[in-house]
Amino acid sequence: MTALTTTAGPDRLPPPDPDAGPAGAASPRRGRLREAFRWGALRLCALAVLLGAWQAVVSAEVWPPVLVPSPGEVWRQFVLASTVHDGVRGYGGHLLVEHLGVSLGRIGTGSAYAVLAGVPLGLLIGTVRPLAVVLEPAVTFLRTLPPLAYLSLLVIWFGIDEAPKIWLLVIAALPPVAAATAAAVRTVPGQLVEAARALGAGPVALLLSVRLPSALPEILTGVRIAVGVAYTSVVAAETVNGVPGIGGMIRDAQRYNQTALVIAGILAIGLSGIALDALLRLVERIGVPWRGRA
């Protein structure tokens, strides 16, 4: 009798599992947090190993400090460039964040113009065959040119103010956007195009309602690549009269063998680039939620 009363009947439910169940919306969230914590810890460990190896090389005096400064010296120059000290404001009269802000403004302006021109150009190349025959080699030609190859020509044409810097970044960032847009438009599924035509869509409606939304994920990838190209070109763009500007600051510090400040500027560019790329990824996830779905 006792056995019968203590045996779980068909109506008795087992105790809830804290890591599972329908109330388990929190469980996947905890899993994602644990995974993010693990990857974050791995990144921190890799950074610690890199800094330790850097300091070990400096302590072993493999190279002189003017070539390989210590992490502490780089940090000191970073702080000096970011603050007002002994009546001196940062470097060249501007704080590091101001140098970086000016460069990011130039990168943003150049990338924006490149997108405004590159997307329509890519759409034309991808949809109009005669224009593709003429324009695609020109885009490829620009894509293969290093920025320093045409910087001197831009300075001759536009002087040493902002115009040659912006033009250089536009020319550097436009080809990736145009190439990605053209390739994306060409790979739009033919069934979608034929279905839209069967429903009476004209050329403009076909372009705006079918081709462009289908190609948008790859276009945004091209925009991310273009912004990265603009980042890699900013030092070249600010070679001439580039202060204030992070590239101009690096070039000026290089002339005086201030290696620690050069490394601090490079780190500022890289970290800001990571942050901007993360922002573009977020825009991509929000703007094209259908990416990767059938």
Side-chain angles (χ1 to χ4, degrees), residues 118-264:
V119 171
L121 180 61
L123 291 174
L124 291 174
I125 293 174
T127 56
V128 183
R129 180 62 180 172
L131 290 178
V133 172
V134 176
L135 296 177
E136 199 161 18
V139 171
T140 303
F141 177 80
L142 289 178
R143 186 164 54 88
T144 57
L145 286 178
L148 285 176
Y150 47 84
L151 175 61
S152 299
L153 184 61
L154 294 175
V155 170
I156 293 172
W157 285 349
F158 300 108
I160 61 173
D161 293 328
E162 286 298 299
K165 302 175 184 62
I166 300 301
W167 271 107
L168 185 142
L169 295 176
V170 171
I171 295 172
L174 185 147
V177 177
T181 302
V185 169
R186 286 169 177 162
T187 57
V188 173
Q191 300 92 327
L192 293 178
V193 176
E194 293 303 325
R197 284 175 177 163
L199 292 174
V204 176
L206 194 65
L207 179 64
L208 298 180
S209 302
V210 178
R211 293 187 185 273
L212 191 57
S214 181
L216 192 56
E218 285 71 25
I219 292 175
L220 290 179
T221 299
V223 171
R224 284 180 51 212
I225 295 173
V227 172
V229 171
Y231 257 86
T232 61
S233 305
V234 71
V235 176
E238 294 175 346
T239 299
V240 179
N241 194 25
V243 178
I246 193 70
M249 187 196 78
I250 290 174
R251 294 284 297 182
D252 197 57
Q254 172 261 324
R255 293 190 184 100
Y256 299 101
N257 289 331
Q258 295 180 297
T259 311
L261 185 58
V262 171
I263 295 175

Side-chain angles (χ1 to χ4, degrees), residues 14-76:
D17 187 353
D19 290 332
S27 177
R29 190 179 305 116
R30 285 196 299 268
R32 289 193 296 269
L33 288 175
R34 284 195 297 266
E35 184 177 3
F37 177 79
R38 285 197 298 267
W39 289 121
L42 178 61
R43 290 190 178 102
L44 289 177
C45 289
L47 180 61
V49 170
L50 176 62
L51 291 175
W54 182 359
Q55 184 61 51
V57 170
V58 172
S59 300
E61 298 182 354
V62 178
W63 291 286
V66 70
L67 296 181
V68 183
S70 66
E73 178 61 20
V74 172
W75 174 251
R76 189 178 78 86

